[in-house]
Amino acid sequence: MPAALPDAWPAAASYCYLEHAGPAGLAWEWLRRDPAYQAVAGTSAIAHGDVTLLDPVPDDCTGRWGCLAMPDAGLGWTEAPVLWSAAVDASVLQVVALPVMDRQTEPFDLVRTAVGATVVRGEKREHVLLGSGAGAIRLDVAGGSLLDGPVSLMHDLAGVVDLEPALVALRRFLEFRRTGQLPAIPPAGQRLRRQVLALRVHDALVAGASIRDVGVMLFGLGRVREEWAGEALKSQCRRLIAMARDMAAGGYRELLG
């Protein structure tokens, strides 16, 4: 069989949009490629002012995929309102909404927030996504409601196992309260760039690529012709293929930890 053409598989340029996706955005890019998810995805939405209310998904779906709602798989990470469960997303902030009693305390009004919000109303708490895309902030409201107008927020870090992600999220939330804008996140670091590379490998494998095709895609046809007899390039390809398969099988949830 003749060798595949160098441009037969996904080009690196077509993945540049993931440079600012962040862990949650990349996790969504993996999830929406899951055929089992694609077969059942789709969540009904109701507008409540500038807030979108989504129906919660069955517990078995949350347990399987880690998400509290199931946006259409055709949406990219900048468009999909993905609310990851606190069981998999260590950056979810736990809050309690209290009546505004002190005039010195600036109230928080979800309905009037300028960034838009998405809410999934669970049996015991509200799950809130402020904004969309990589800069979004997740809140779980353990008491009260953010939908009833201005409230005072009490943050609860007492039961947080991994404090650092929560503190980063809290600093971003406080910056949002101060400026009215969601703080930008930095470009992807080396770990996330490798995730993008693994995602590209996954897409090539789904399209029928062989390990040699992956090598051509990553290193170029000329280098593969010269070095494929050795093990170095093959080993790099095998590691990325193994990583791609692990992530596609649910390993993407570790990105959120």
Side-chain angles (χ1 to χ4, degrees), residues 42-96:
T43 302
S44 60
I46 300 174
H48 180 76
D50 290 332
V51 177
T52 300
L53 303 181
L54 300 181
D55 289 337
V57 300
D59 289 343
D60 58 338
C61 292
T62 298
R64 181 175 184 178
W65 291 305
C67 52
L68 299 167
M70 300 176 68
D72 189 283
L75 299 175
W77 70 270
T78 59
E79 307 164 297
V82 186
L83 287 85
W84 296 102
S85 165
V88 299
D89 186 354
S91 71
V92 175
L93 293 174
Q94 306 294 328
V95 301
V96 175

Side-chain angles (χ1 to χ4, degrees), residues 217-231:
M217 180 182 75
L218 298 179
F219 306 110
L221 184 58
R223 187 174 174 189
V224 167
R225 283 173 173 168
E226 293 177 0
E227 302 181 31
W228 200 247
E231 284 297 316

